[in-house]
Amino acid sequence: QFLSRFSSGLTGNILQLIHESPGITRKEIAEKLGVASPTITRAVLHLAEKKWVILLKEGRNTRHYLPEERGYILQKEIADSA
């Protein structure tokens, strides 16, 4: 299952934030998690390579989204684990 692989740690926290705040920037993710921006960048780029996160450039900012089917899986697994 998706969340069983990512439910804990930085990756899970990043995915949860993107799910809760579609369009969040890396800077916002770093601030909310209290983690250095380069660490967030590495993690997000890895997720984008795996197609778990969509990156959309808007001017100087890159916004982060979950692909629709990924968001559904994440939402379902969060509900099931609650």
Side-chain angles (χ1 to χ4, degrees):
Q1 284 192 2
F2 172 68
L3 265 189
S4 62
R5 289 177 50 204
F6 298 120
S7 62
S8 63
L10 182 62
T11 302
N13 290 335
I14 291 170
L15 290 169
Q16 183 68 32
L17 276 176
I18 296 170
H19 174 70
E20 292 171 355
S21 303
I24 193 169
T25 65
R26 281 183 213 157
K27 180 180 178 185
E28 292 167 331
I29 294 169
E31 288 171 357
K32 288 184 183 222
L33 296 180
V35 176
S37 290
T39 302
I40 298 298
T41 298
R42 277 192 304 276
V44 165
L45 291 177
H46 176 74
L47 288 168
E49 285 176 12
K50 301 289 185 186
K51 308 244 188 279
W52 285 100
V53 172
I54 295 172
L55 310 177
L56 292 179
K57 188 82 170 156
E58 285 185 5
R60 293 180 55 186
N61 292 317
T62 300
R63 305 248 171 223
H64 301 76
Y65 300 90
L66 295 180
E68 194 169 311
E69 67 275 7
R70 307 285 195 235
Y72 173 77
I73 292 168
L74 183 61
Q75 185 175 14
K76 182 178 180 337
E77 292 198 14
I78 289 169
D80 289 349
S81 68

